[in-house]
Amino acid sequence: MELSTLTIQEIHQLLITKKISSVELTQSMLNRIHDVDSKVKSYVTVTDEVALEQAKRADERIAKNESVTPLTGIPFAMKDCISTRNVKTTCSSKILENYVPQYNATVTNKLADAGAVLVGKTNMDEFGMGSSCENSAFFNTRNPWNLNHVPGGSSGGSAAAMSASLASFTIGEDTGGSVRMPAGFCNVTGIKPTYGRVSRYGLISLVSSFDCIGPMTRDVYDCATVLEHIAGHDEKDSTTYQSPVPNYTQHINKPINKLKLGIPKEYFVAGMEAGVESALQESIRQFEKLGMEIHEVSLPHTKYGLPVYYLLLFAEASSNLARFDGTRFGLSKSDNAKDVIDIYLQTRREGFDDEVKRRIMLGAYALSAGYYDAYYLKAQKVRTLLRRDFETALASCDLLLAPTCPTTAFKLGEKTNDPLAMYLSDIYVVATNPAGVPAMALPCGFSNDMPVGMQLIGKHLDEQTLFQVGHAYQQVTDWHKKLPNL
Ligand code: GLN
């Protein structure tokens, strides 16, 4: 039995019936990481000591049958933009290369309280800026399905680690598709919850009004399990919802027939890879067989999604990243510095790579006097229209179906010299973030031997329907069970 490929649910059974211990499981996962990850390069840091210590404590909890949760003893990895006390948190940036947080993110604390075992921190595009993981300042992560292809981004390390069975679940972060797009490229399930469902405290901000932390897992059931444990109100993040977190897994088997599935017509247009389009059409037929009603809907402002998303991202990111000033966190360059401005300039010149600098400059421009109204304010107004598009479409339907990306995973290097082509690969995932609605990615087929992902997009705070529908789909298909041959 290959432990690393099991679902959380399966491992939980083995743990509570004492067929395996968390220490054995964790050690075998760590061994696998040390054996296989030199090919995939999904981890920035592997936390052997922390993991074995947490696994030992998980085994004690299980032995005493004390506060055992479905995550107790389960090895997981976390995107390297989420703070972990005493464990480096780099955002895959030179500016934070040696930064060790003094506190945990709320999500880190919640997972530790549930008894989950942290095996490491995963690679990403620097500060979450990218769609291929090639903007990591450290190294490229590779797609386990074909090592010459990208895993997607920015949570490429979390998706690749999950796909290569180098963790039993991973945590990603999604500002504009960073969970869903790599999940689609790597054949894993992942959710961007409703904005405000999961606390952002301790997440190193990219765009404070878009950022969402979400799990990546082997299947929808596991995704629901992890979200149940990390979601909820947090007094340290005033944007979190007060409303209680539903017990998603308890209701996951509710019937889905008669639910209305909307197909946004603007998402099924020329430019989509033929194999992606046919996989999506096949899944629509599958939902029809499951008794759902299929309706065409319109999201009329779709064409503004990408420019609005990127404009607002540049603006918010440029002000968020101002905190990396050479005096507070991480790198500090002060060679013969004349004054504090000199420290600021030297540190940022050396600490940030090109894509980050490009976005900071564009953001500063969009926010500057004279341009603010023309760019930032205008984009905020169109953001309202994007949100209304989803509200209107979801008033007549229970959820929407869309691709995660117009293509399957592209080759390493294919888009690195063309930032606009890179931004365009986000076309189907970015609009949900300005709108705040939840969206889940799940495997739905293959095109030219590479995985295809679909997205289910729901109403605010209605992750439950996404889980029910996704789970029903995974009961009658086995795309999510397919693993790469490493
Ligand atoms: N591709 C998006 C970007 O480059 C991803 C952002 C994210 O979700 N962190 O902005």
Side-chain angles (χ1 to χ4, degrees):
M1 182 178 40
E2 188 46 80
L3 292 175
S4 62
T5 63
L6 300 181
T7 62
I8 296 173
Q9 222 186 343
E10 289 164 338
I11 299 172
H12 178 65
Q13 281 311 314
L14 296 176
L15 286 170
I16 56 168
T17 53
K18 320 257 175 18
K19 296 214 170 62
I20 55 164
S21 71
S22 176
V23 168
E24 281 170 73
L25 168 70
T26 301
Q27 188 60 64
S28 79
M29 193 63 88
L30 291 168
N31 293 346
R32 184 171 163 82
I33 296 171
H34 293 300
D35 282 354
V36 175
D37 201 45
S38 54
K39 288 192 218 164
V40 181
K41 300 180 85 66
S42 55
Y43 281 88
V44 174
T45 305
V46 183
T47 49
D48 301 65
E49 269 177 46
V50 175
L52 289 168
E53 179 56 36
Q54 287 184 331
K56 213 171 98 199
R57 272 186 273 136
D59 282 334
E60 287 161 13
R61 263 163 93 156
I62 296 169
K64 289 192 225 142
N65 195 16
E66 231 173 59
S67 50
V68 176
T69 77
L71 299 185
T72 306
I74 309 282
F76 79 100
M78 183 112 90
K79 186 174 183 179
D80 214 15
C81 55
I82 301 172
S83 302
T84 41
R85 188 173 47 232
N86 299 335
V87 174
K88 269 199 291 190
T89 300
T90 68
C91 280
S92 292
S93 177
K94 285 197 286 283
I95 214 160
L96 292 179
E97 193 166 5
N98 296 310
Y99 169 63
V100 179
Q102 293 169 18
Y103 66 97
N104 277 334
T106 294
V107 165
T108 311
N109 275 335
K110 281 184 176 253
L111 289 168
D113 291 348
V117 172
L118 178 73
V119 290
K121 304 291 296 285
T122 53
N123 199 22
M124 56 187 280
D125 288 294
E126 185 174 2
F127 286 101
M129 299 183 186
S131 312
S132 66
C133 229
E134 292 163 296
N135 290 338
S136 164
F138 307 145
F139 44 79
N140 293 336
T141 297
R142 287 156 188 276
N143 190 312
W145 288 89
N146 182 332
L147 298 174
N148 296 320
H149 288 239
V150 302
S154 65
S155 313
S158 290
M162 196 59 227
S163 165
S165 307
L166 300 173
S168 304
F169 71 92
T170 61
I171 300 293
E173 168 279 335
D174 191 310
T175 302
S178 281
V179 163
R180 292 159 288 150
M181 195 257 193
F185 276 10
C186 293
N187 211 52
V188 302
T189 301
I191 192 166
K192 172 205 112 57
T194 307
Y195 177 80
R197 185 73 287 194
V198 175
S199 168
R200 289 180 294 111
Y201 178 77
L203 164 69
I204 299 176
S205 307
L206 174 54
V207 182
S208 310
S209 74
F210 295 171
D211 296 344
C212 296
I213 296 178
M216 295 165 113
T217 53
R218 259 187 222 308
D219 64 14
V220 171
Y221 191 96
D222 280 2
C223 201
T225 304
V226 180
L227 188 62
E228 254 164 48
H229 285 88
I230 62 172
H233 178 66
D234 180 10
E235 62 184 24
K236 297 201 185 92
D237 174 359
S238 61
T239 62
T240 49
Y241 280 94
Q242 297 275 356
S243 51
V245 180
N247 189 335
Y248 301 119
T249 47
Q250 194 186 332
H251 305 289
I252 206 162
N253 285 311
K254 279 211 184 128
I256 63 158
N257 59 333
K258 302 287 181 304
L259 287 183
K260 296 194 182 76
L261 179 65
I263 314 295
K265 64 173 187 226
E266 292 81 1
Y267 283 35
F268 290 82
V269 290
M272 210 191 295
E273 187 176 311
V276 172
E277 163 109 49
S278 57
L280 266 294
Q281 294 299 349
E282 185 50 40
S283 32
I284 295 173
R285 279 193 288 279
Q286 192 59 256
F287 286 118
E288 215 166 6
K289 280 196 222 155
L290 288 166
M292 295 180 79
E293 284 178 28
I294 315 293
H295 295 270
E296 187 180 270
V297 296
S298 175
L299 299 169
H301 298 93
T302 294
K303 65 169 183 281
Y304 304 112
L306 208 63
V308 164
Y309 165 79
Y310 272 100
L311 222 148
L312 294 176
L313 179 142
F314 298 156
E316 279 200 45
S318 90
S319 71
N320 264 332
L321 268 58
R323 78 192 66 193
F324 301 105
D325 56 9
T327 63
R328 286 179 291 179
F329 313 92
L331 187 73
S332 181
K333 294 300 286 182
S334 53
D335 304 343
N336 308 316
K338 292 185 295 296
D339 53 23
V340 72
I341 298 293
D342 207 17
I343 298 176
Y344 185 81
L345 293 175
Q346 282 189 40
T347 303
R348 290 164 70 88
R349 199 177 298 131
E350 196 162 310
F352 291 138
D353 262 347
D354 290 352
E355 181 61 23
V356 175
K357 287 179 185 160
R358 173 168 28 244
R359 294 190 187 198
I360 290 173
M361 282 192 285
L362 287 165
Y365 180 81
L367 288 174
S368 55
Y371 297 107
Y372 180 90
D373 288 2
Y375 295 110
Y376 183 74
L377 206 61
K378 190 58 144 274
Q380 287 290 21
K381 289 180 178 166
V382 186
R383 174 183 192 168
T384 304
L385 299 178
L386 290 171
R387 203 191 66 227
R388 284 193 198 142
D389 274 4
F390 282 103
E391 281 167 6
T392 309
L394 286 161
S396 65
C397 290
D398 296 290
L399 73 171
L400 310 176
L401 179 143
T404 51
C405 186
T407 64
T408 53
F410 41 90
K411 286 206 179 79
L412 279 149
E414 198 177 312
K415 302 193 184 194
T416 37
N417 292 323
D418 187 351
L420 278 182
M422 191 70 91
Y423 299 169
L424 271 170
S425 56
D426 298 338
I427 189 125
Y428 296 133
V429 280
V430 289
T432 47
N433 295 64
V437 291
M440 178 168 67
L442 57 161
C444 73
F446 285 79
S447 171
N448 301 320
D449 300 324
M450 294 303 281
V452 177
M454 74 160 137
Q455 269 186 100
L456 299 174
I457 303 169
K459 300 177 189 181
H460 279 105
L461 287 180
D462 189 19
E463 285 79 6
Q464 185 68 60
T465 301
L466 304 185
F467 290 140
Q468 276 165 231
V469 172
H471 181 67
Y473 177 81
Q474 291 188 340
Q475 301 306 295
V476 294
T477 57
D478 61 2
W479 303 116
H480 62 290
K481 295 193 177 140
K482 304 224 180 291
L483 296 170
N485 197 353
L486 272 169

